[in-house]
Amino acid sequence: MDAAKEIFKKHQAQTFPTPSCLEIKSAKGSYITDVEGKQYLDFVAGVSACTLGHSNSIITNAVKKQLNKYSHVMVYGEYVQNPQYKLAELLAKNLPTSLNTTYFTNSGTEAIEGAMKLAKRATGRSEIISCKNSYHGSTQGSLSIMGNERKKANYRPLLPSCNQIHFNDDSTLANITNKTAAVVIEPIQGASGFISPENNFLLNVKKKCAETGTLLIFDEIQTCYGRLGTLFGFECYNVIPDILCLAKGMGAGMPIGAFISSNKLMNLLTFEPSLGHITTFGGHPVNCAASLACLEHLISTEIINDIEEKERLFRANLIHSKIKEIRGKGLMLAIELDDESLVRKVVDKSLEKGLILFYFLFTDTAIRITPPLTISDNDIIKGCKIIKSILDE
Ligand code: PLP
């Protein structure tokens, strides 16, 4: 093992027994280059995070410009900082009026924590309902509502009053009652392999929430900023949540998240007690500048309008007898192979052949495809050819 990999293994906490240990030299557009100079086409984009590709000059210039002005100056919500309020304003302009006020966080899981707290504060109730097989982050509140017992059993006790419904199963909606503070739900379930809602499921959840005075929280940490072919995922399903959580692609490679709601609800964080959610670095001005530049670019170009066509290209180029199904929407696609060892083989061999693919947290039989939204048609075709060549072996 070379020195860098040895240090990585010895001094960086490990979370997986066999990491790929790809040693990065640089990354540009849809490609990552390793220290030996080998190029890899990136079908993962930092797990749905690098919206405009790697080292996009729009983002690096925004970051550099902001760094030259000021970086961290104060904890969240005290000083008026241009990149923060401009981003909050542009988000509000592109969202329904009931989602006009943003709290910026450091990450997706912090956005979920904040949203859960806000729902408890607003309703005076404690029960949070999530979906079986959902993933909302790794801190203790998000972990409490994770829909996979195997991944959380060793960390119990977790939050009480966390219960579940089954995604796409209306018969379980009766679990949502007038004791429920909030339902937290992903428009497309991520960790279980990109499961899309069927038969107006999200609309039925919304109706049940309205009946019981329960707040609806959408976890759009993975579906935001154009990934599904609309700026936000809820636009695909005509359901407006009470609280919207963003992260990942929102930062275009920089760490930022947000929970967004109405001004009325959000103001509850200012009294009884004041400072209802506190963060030092949430909404870091440099990260807000990156997010603002990304949002402006998405709004002013055809990138989002082109996503549907790119999805079609993927689907057309991934026809193979060993591919059982392609799930998901836009550039959030899962290849179902129905075979765990084949999934490992495809992911490993793809890396050898210069294509980066990745796994899912809760299913072993599918492969994740979430490239930068800026990926070219030629690169889509090239990557799909590599996948099919391995399946042919
Ligand atoms: N929610 C969803 C749907 C996610 O995909 C993720 C991350 O994978 C999270 C929440 C947690 O976000 P973060 O890793 O930024 O805490």
Side-chain angles (χ1 to χ4, degrees), residues 46-48 105-112 134-139 142 184-191 194 219-223 245-248 255-257 332 361 368:
V47 191
S48 306
T105 62
N106 294 278
S107 63
T109 197
E110 191 195 357
I112 294 289
S134 64
Y135 179 78
H136 300 290
S138 217
T139 52
S142 305
V184 185
I185 196 164
E186 302 157 88
I188 291 184
Q189 282 207 305
F194 299 162
D219 177 343
E220 290 230 28
I221 284 158
Q222 198 161 177
T223 51
C245 294
L246 314 177
K248 282 190 181 277
I256 185 168
M332 194 169 154
L361 260 181
R368 150 192 288 273

Side-chain angles (χ1 to χ4, degrees), residues 239-313:
V239 178
I240 299 173
D242 299 295
I243 307 175
L244 176 67
C245 294
L246 314 177
K248 282 190 181 277
M250 176 191 187
M254 299 296 280
I256 185 168
F259 59 103
I260 303 177
S261 190
S262 66
N263 200 253
K264 186 171 166 221
L265 273 194
M266 220 46 126
N267 275 342
L268 295 170
L269 298 177
T270 64
F271 65 98
E272 286 175 12
S274 61
L275 303 172
H277 189 71
I278 309 175
T279 173
T280 299
F281 286 126
H284 191 289
V286 174
N287 303 338
C288 281
S291 182
L292 177 62
C294 180
L295 187 54
E296 283 170 346
H297 192 64
L298 289 175
I299 291 166
S300 61
T301 63
E302 287 302 305
I303 291 175
I304 292 181
N305 287 341
D306 292 343
I307 300 297
E308 203 178 316
E309 192 48 48
K310 287 186 206 261
E311 175 188 348
R312 258 199 291 276
L313 198 58

